[in-house]
């Protein structure tokens, strides 16, 4: 039975696309784009989560003060309070990435596309050559997951880390390393 499958213009892009379908990536909510403190405060006070973020950020004002601020966008609010509002706003706007699941870290990966090791360069995943099969449970996901959680896992970094930490751990360094220089890859997670 086929598992989740993803495509990309590089191995790193296909892997990153696959991760995004399996776990929530670090991202900003599209509805949180207010720039002015008043608009931010108005949006925050519209939800329980927003009130909690204001409290966590350290905004401690009386309710009548909060009402004055909300009723007048030109109200003179101290810089320290505006900073707390902005911090609370950013804390609500940014959704942290979920940790990589065991399904991702212990899965069997099938990679289709141009694969080269030493003098052996071929298109994998077609009639002439099976996909490159990788047992990811043998690899070290520490660096990949830390960059994923930080929202800093670029396609080229993921490709390099996947080769060094996952592929090499499972099947070795190959004849002369592994190269994925094609322009189209498919990755299936089983």
């Amino acid at each position: 039975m086929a598992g989740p499958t993803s495509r990309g213009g590089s191995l790193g892009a296909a892997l990153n696309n696959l991760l995004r379908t399996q776990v929530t990536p670090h991202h900003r909510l599209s509805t949180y784009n207010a720039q002015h403190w008043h608009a931010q405060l108005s949006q925050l006070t519209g939800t329980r989560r927003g009130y909690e973020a204001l409290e966590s950020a350290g905004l401690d004002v009386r309710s009548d003060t909060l009402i004055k601020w909300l009723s007048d966008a030109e109200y003179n609010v101290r810089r320290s309070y505006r900073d707390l509002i902005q911090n609370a706003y950013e804390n609500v706007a940014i959704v942290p990435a979920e940790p990589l699941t065991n399904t991702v870290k212990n899965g069997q990966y099938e990679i289709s596309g141009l694969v080269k090791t030493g003098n052996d360069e071929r298109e994998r995943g077609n009639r002439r050559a099976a996909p490159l099969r990788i047992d990811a449970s043998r690899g070290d996901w520490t660096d990949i997951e830390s960059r994923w959680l930080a929202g800093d896992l670029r396609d080229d970094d993921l490709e390099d880390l996947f080769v060094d930490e996952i592929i090499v751990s499972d099947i070795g360094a190959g004849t002369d390393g592994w190269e994925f220089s094609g322009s189209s890859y498919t990755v299936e997670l089983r």
Side-chain angles (χ1 to χ4, degrees):
M1 181 161 94
T5 303
S6 187
R7 291 172 176 66
S10 68
L11 176 60
L15 288 166
N16 234 335
N17 291 338
L18 182 66
L19 290 180
R20 284 187 205 100
T21 67
Q22 299 304 299
V23 285
T24 302
H26 180 274
H27 66 283
R28 182 177 188 86
L29 296 171
S30 62
T31 55
Y32 283 80
N33 52 18
Q35 300 298 312
H36 192 266
W37 70 266
H38 186 265
Q40 292 174 347
L41 183 62
S42 296
Q43 191 169 5
L44 287 169
T45 56
T47 65
R48 181 176 50 83
R49 186 169 172 234
Y51 273 108
E52 290 169 357
L54 287 167
E55 185 178 305
S56 294
L59 185 68
D60 186 23
V61 295
R62 296 188 339 233
S63 55
D64 62 325
T65 301
L66 192 58
I67 291 169
K68 287 177 189 174
W69 291 357
L70 288 168
S71 63
D72 183 4
E74 299 303 317
Y75 194 90
N76 189 18
V77 175
R78 283 189 290 178
R79 179 72 188 172
S80 61
Y81 287 136
R82 290 190 313 241
D83 290 344
L84 291 174
I85 293 167
Q86 183 173 2
N87 287 340
Y89 192 78
E90 289 303 311
N91 288 339
V92 172
I94 302 298
V95 177
E98 292 177 343
L100 299 178
T101 63
N102 285 335
T103 302
V104 169
K105 295 191 281 189
N106 296 326
Q108 305 293 314
Y109 288 75
E110 291 191 356
I111 300 169
S112 299
L114 188 63
V115 178
K116 180 180 180 183
T117 181
N119 293 329
D120 182 9
E121 181 177 36
R122 57 187 146 152
E123 192 73 29
R124 304 294 298 254
N126 58 31
R127 285 184 179 183
R128 291 176 275 128
L132 179 63
R133 291 185 174 95
I134 304 300
D135 179 357
S137 67
R138 298 176 188 211
D140 180 1
W141 286 85
T142 306
D143 289 341
I144 294 172
E145 186 162 35
S146 66
R147 288 185 186 206
W148 170 262
L149 291 172
D152 188 32
L153 188 58
R154 296 186 331 252
D155 294 346
D156 55 341
D157 293 334
L158 177 54
E159 183 173 318
D160 291 344
L161 288 168
F162 193 83
V163 169
D164 294 343
E165 304 295 337
I166 310 303
I167 293 176
V168 170
S169 294
D170 181 34
I171 57 177
T175 306
D176 193 22
W178 294 95
E179 292 180 40
F180 298 87
S181 57
S183 60
S184 178
Y185 286 88
T186 302
V187 178
E188 182 180 344
L189 175 61
R190 292 179 172 255

